[in-house]
Amino acid sequence: MAWTQTELEALRRAYASGTLRVSYDGKTLEYGSANDLLSRIRMIEGEIAAASGRPLPVAGFAAFRRG
């Protein structure tokens, strides 16, 4: 399925505002949880990145140890 940047931006706005209801292009969807919404965002980001040929940024955690 072809995802649009409009849909992705609507999902991101909904997630940032803490709502589970998303409206875009005359459609309204309601997600069961914030995790469901975030999973959809990540899936679309991955598919858009794969289609454009650019990799997703990788995030990691730094650890420090006193020795």
Side-chain angles (χ1 to χ4, degrees):
M1 180 173 214
W3 308 107
T4 65
Q5 195 65 34
T6 303
E7 179 180 4
L8 182 56
E9 289 171 8
L11 292 168
R12 287 176 176 162
R13 276 192 308 273
Y15 185 77
S17 69
T19 185
L20 300 176
R21 185 171 294 198
V22 182
S23 298
Y24 62 93
D25 295 336
K27 301 173 191 174
T28 300
L29 299 168
E30 187 161 347
Y31 290 86
S33 69
N35 284 337
D36 292 342
L37 181 55
L38 185 58
S39 294
R40 179 68 154 213
I41 291 169
R42 297 295 178 236
M43 181 191 67
I44 294 172
E45 287 174 336
E47 290 188 17
I48 289 174
S52 69
R54 57 189 166 95
L56 284 174
V58 177
F61 295 99
F64 299 94
R65 186 184 308 173
R66 289 188 176 181

